[in-house]
Amino acid sequence: MKSNFICGTLEGFYGRPWRLDQRLQLFEWMKEWDGMNTYMYAPKDDLYHRSKWRELYPEKELSVLKNLIQSCHKKELDFIYAIAPGLDIMYSDENDWNFLVKKVNQLREIGCKQFAILFDDIPSKLSDNDQNSFSSFARAHAQITNRLFKHLSGLSLLFCPTVYCGQMADYDIKGNAYLNELGELLHEEIGIFWTGPKVVSVEIKVESIKELQQVIKRKPIIWDNLHANDYDIRQIFFGPYSGRSLELKNEVAGILSNPNCQFWANYNPLRTLGMFNVEIDSWNPRQAFLESSREWIRYFGNEELTVDEIQLLGDCYYTQGQMGEHGIQIVKSIQWILNHPTEEWNDYLDTFKSFEVRLNSLCAKLMATTNRELLYDFYLAIWELREETEYVSKWVEWKQSGKGEFQSPEIVPRRKGILYEFQDIIHSD
Ligand code: GDL
């Protein structure tokens, strides 16, 4: 029996969309794992999803989408196509309504049975024309969404509001006029997305969701940005699904994870979401991470890699603002070394040295992996980590030698340019 609880992957980030072969790999995984049942197609930079939402897919792109939908269904997963017309739609314009209908019909013709309409990250003011037709932004959203729901006659529709987290409601959900109106006006069967207290929510508390339910008059669907990294190219997240209790599942209608742009980084984040969904008794993210990492190693394309090395990698890039056990130890040891005389380094030096050895071994093995796509996905992260580690290592050597002035290795002088200038100015105080 298929569960009603929506759980799966949402390709909803900014940047290069995944390729067909990557999405097919994702479907393989999701079919194999417990707890995952849905894929939502919403890549911000698919032209026809957002910027050119009015245009129909050209033949070539359409046949790729058709293949995608069929492959998804073959794995018994639900496929949701999302359209994001909010950048420039005129809500009161019949022509725009007709464009929307034609686009949705095109997707129906290639087998899509579930839809979403997204109004995130758009100008939150109605045009002059629309202001004559609608007394509020919420009314415009509710009207067009309800109309689309009716047009879809029986197919499911999800909706992403413009205010989609606590922060955007100034942490006053009850007092937010837009959300209250939507709760009243939006057809009760239309699901509403919510990202938690923030756009990227490290924690989502059950109480905050209960409060939201009162306002939107239904259980929200979590659009989960915990492992999203499109807002900072130096970040990548290999850590487990965390910061949410099992009780949360009773209060939401589903959870869709919008993860790293780098496809191959998403094994642990998605695998552990599936584990979270099927877990009944107690949720231990660390345990899930260790278990998932043991499976992940299969995809690295180098048999010499060890589970320890993979877990070390994961620990360095865990989740937003958090490191795993090893990452925490290493940062602590570097902090100690930099702030204490050499005689007091003791175990901290050993921790650092052993990290350096393991990191170098990990990097060498990754460079030799046959899964080149995985390597390229991780390149920036491992390269920078290795460079910074080398920098500390040179400093340690210099300090221990007790000689003259520190000659910094090349890496730091090389990092120049407009962003570094900006950062210097902005963060100088
Ligand atoms: C967002 C965007 C999402 C993006 C994420 C992380 C939603 C509803 N929209 O605000 O496309 O990937 O932040 O940067 O989350």
Side-chain angles (χ1 to χ4, degrees):
M1 245 227 332
K2 222 171 168 186
S3 134
N4 286 331
F5 190 82
I6 300 170
C7 188
T9 309
L10 188 176
E11 188 180 336
F13 46 79
Y14 293 88
R16 184 192 287 261
W18 291 333
R19 291 190 317 261
L20 177 66
D21 60 306
Q22 295 176 321
R23 295 176 182 140
L24 297 184
Q25 172 66 74
L26 175 73
F27 299 161
E28 285 282 333
W29 283 339
M30 287 172 58
K31 165 82 180 160
E32 203 175 291
W33 304 335
D34 280 340
M36 301 289 262
N37 54 33
T38 303
Y39 165 79
M40 180 162 121
Y41 181 92
K44 285 272 187 300
D45 290 297
D46 166 5
L47 270 182
Y48 304 96
H49 157 73
R50 195 161 126 104
S51 303
K52 297 191 177 190
W53 64 271
R54 290 182 184 84
E55 290 183 27
L56 294 178
Y57 280 95
E59 201 128 326
K60 197 167 138 227
E61 282 81 355
L62 192 68
S63 86
V64 174
L65 260 181
K66 186 174 177 182
N67 182 348
L68 189 69
I69 294 170
Q70 286 175 345
S71 309
C72 190
H73 288 158
K74 254 189 223 144
K75 299 283 179 200
E76 291 170 40
L77 300 165
D78 287 339
F79 182 98
I80 304 173
Y81 178 86
I83 186 150
L87 286 177
D88 60 359
I89 191 170
M90 189 88 84
Y91 299 93
S92 53
D93 182 357
E94 275 304 294
N95 285 330
D96 269 0
W97 164 253
N98 288 331
F99 280 125
L100 189 62
V101 165
K102 275 195 195 138
K103 187 65 162 282
V104 164
N105 288 350
Q106 187 187 36
L107 270 297
R108 279 170 79 166
E109 276 160 27
I110 57 166
C112 185
K113 297 191 203 88
Q114 287 167 276
F115 290 88
I117 185 160
L118 312 181
F119 294 107
D120 56 323
D121 301 359
I122 57 164
S124 57
K125 216 176 155 287
L126 290 174
S127 65
D128 290 347
N129 272 349
D130 280 337
Q131 277 185 29
N132 294 330
S133 308
F134 299 103
S135 57
S136 70
F137 202 46
R139 276 190 187 274
H141 283 181
Q143 193 265 356
I144 198 154
T145 308
N146 286 340
R147 195 174 177 192
L148 184 62
F149 184 62
K150 201 165 163 211
H151 171 79
L152 289 171
S153 53
L155 301 187
S156 77
L157 182 63
L158 305 179
F159 165 88
C160 183
T162 305
V163 174
Y164 53 82
C165 63
Q167 193 175 14
M168 290 178 175
D170 297 325
Y171 297 109
D172 177 17
I173 294 169
K174 274 196 202 120
N176 188 276
Y178 172 80
L179 291 174
N180 273 289
E181 260 189 285
L182 280 177
E184 293 290 339
L185 300 174
L186 209 59
H187 190 289
E188 60 184 12
E189 285 171 40
I190 299 173
I192 299 183
F193 281 113
W194 188 250
T195 64
K198 300 197 170 170
V199 175
V200 179
S201 300
V202 172
E203 214 182 336
I204 300 180
K205 293 217 167 82
V206 169
E207 300 73 54
S208 72
I209 297 300
K210 284 189 174 159
E211 188 192 359
L212 176 71
Q213 285 172 5
Q214 301 298 313
V215 174
I216 61 170
K217 307 214 168 4
R218 70 207 75 197
K219 292 180 177 180
I221 293 152
I222 301 297
W223 172 310
D224 211 320
N225 288 323
L226 181 65
H227 294 96
N229 70 340
D230 53 0
Y231 53 87
D232 181 356
I233 57 162
R234 294 176 87 173
Q235 306 235 41
I236 192 162
F237 301 116
F238 302 130
Y241 194 68
S242 61
R244 289 98 174 101
S245 68
L246 291 180
E247 291 75 57
L248 183 75
K249 289 189 284 177
N250 301 326
E251 306 304 332
V252 299
I255 304 174
L256 291 175
S257 164
N258 177 37
N260 295 282
C261 302
Q262 293 88 341
F263 175 77
W264 286 99
N266 292 315
Y267 194 89
N268 288 340
L270 297 174
R271 173 69 174 110
T272 56
L273 170 60
M275 290 176 178
F276 175 83
N277 188 21
V278 293
E279 182 58 59
I280 302 164
D281 297 329
S282 69
W283 179 238
N284 182 336
R286 184 71 191 163
Q287 211 55 48
F289 166 77
L290 296 174
E291 205 178 314
S292 169
S293 299
R294 282 195 287 275
E295 297 173 10
W296 188 28
I297 195 166
R298 230 184 297 162
Y299 298 95
F300 274 71
N302 187 342
E303 284 179 3
E304 286 176 19
L305 272 162
T306 65
V307 174
D308 274 0
E309 286 168 335
I310 304 291
Q311 286 169 353
L312 176 71
L313 176 69
D315 270 352
C316 291
Y317 295 98
Y318 214 53
T319 54
Q320 220 244 8
Q322 288 171 323
M323 285 167 291
E325 258 167 37
H326 294 100
I328 294 170
Q329 276 170 15
I330 291 138
V331 169
K332 213 164 142 193
S333 70
I334 293 179
Q335 266 168 347
W336 184 274
I337 290 170
L338 291 180
N339 294 307
H340 291 81
T342 44
E343 312 81 70
E344 289 175 28
W345 286 357
N346 309 326
D347 290 355
Y348 291 105
L349 182 63
D350 296 339
T351 306
F352 173 71
K353 289 264 175 209
S354 113
F355 167 68
E356 192 186 10
V357 170
R358 285 187 300 155
L359 180 67
N360 285 341
S361 157
L362 168 72
C363 289
K365 290 176 189 174
L366 283 177
M367 294 298 159
T369 181
T370 52
N371 188 349
R372 305 310 282 168
E373 294 297 327
L374 177 143
L375 169 69
Y376 304 146
D377 275 358
F378 299 179
Y379 223 91
L380 183 66
I382 56 169
W383 196 267
E384 281 208 307
L385 190 60
R386 218 174 52 100
E387 279 194 335
E388 296 298 336
T389 305
E390 190 190 330
Y391 191 75
V392 176
S393 184
K394 292 270 194 275
W395 186 88
V396 164
E397 255 173 50
W398 163 76
K399 194 80 180 164
Q400 284 179 321
S401 75
K403 282 188 208 148
E405 232 180 74
F406 178 53
Q407 299 292 323
S408 61
E410 237 240 307
I411 42 172
V412 174
R414 224 190 295 147
R415 294 203 186 133
K416 288 179 180 160
I418 191 160
L419 284 178
Y420 293 93
E421 299 284 334
F422 276 15
Q423 283 170 355
D424 271 357
I425 300 165
I426 297 164
H427 304 296
S428 62
D429 56 351

